[in-house]
Amino acid sequence: MLTERAGFAYKSNVVPAAIAVLTGVVGPSKKQDAIIDRAIAGLARRMSCTVEKRWQAEGRTGAAMRYIDLVLKGRG
């Protein structure tokens, strides 16, 4: 399970360092969901696996948090 808590950073046009490494996005961006998609793809690529299933829920506060569950499968 992943918890993506950088909602305030995205609202301020800041990309967190770890996300920048996984996505290659270094400039300002308010497109949180697109960046999360790229980060998950980057993580899977680094782990040599594929994302078999994904569930995602949004937090109920104004913090723009995302809770993400993944099923990853190794590429052998």
Side-chain angles (χ1 to χ4, degrees):
M1 180 168 176
L2 305 171
T3 303
E4 214 294 30
R5 303 172 23 163
F8 286 128
Y10 297 126
K11 287 179 182 179
S12 302
N13 278 326
V14 175
V15 177
I19 298 297
V21 168
L22 288 173
T23 63
V25 174
V26 292
S29 181
K30 292 186 178 184
K31 298 180 180 183
Q32 183 177 7
D33 290 323
I35 291 174
I36 291 170
D37 292 344
R38 287 181 66 172
I40 290 171
L43 179 66
R45 193 170 40 256
R46 285 173 175 251
M47 294 174 66
S48 296
C49 62
T50 58
V51 177
E52 296 294 309
K53 280 206 169 232
R54 175 180 169 175
W55 298 270
Q56 181 170 319
E58 293 184 21
R60 295 184 183 189
T61 67
M65 291 185 59
R66 303 288 192 274
Y67 303 95
I68 304 162
D69 282 332
L70 300 171
V71 174
L72 303 173
K73 181 178 179 182
R75 287 189 243 172

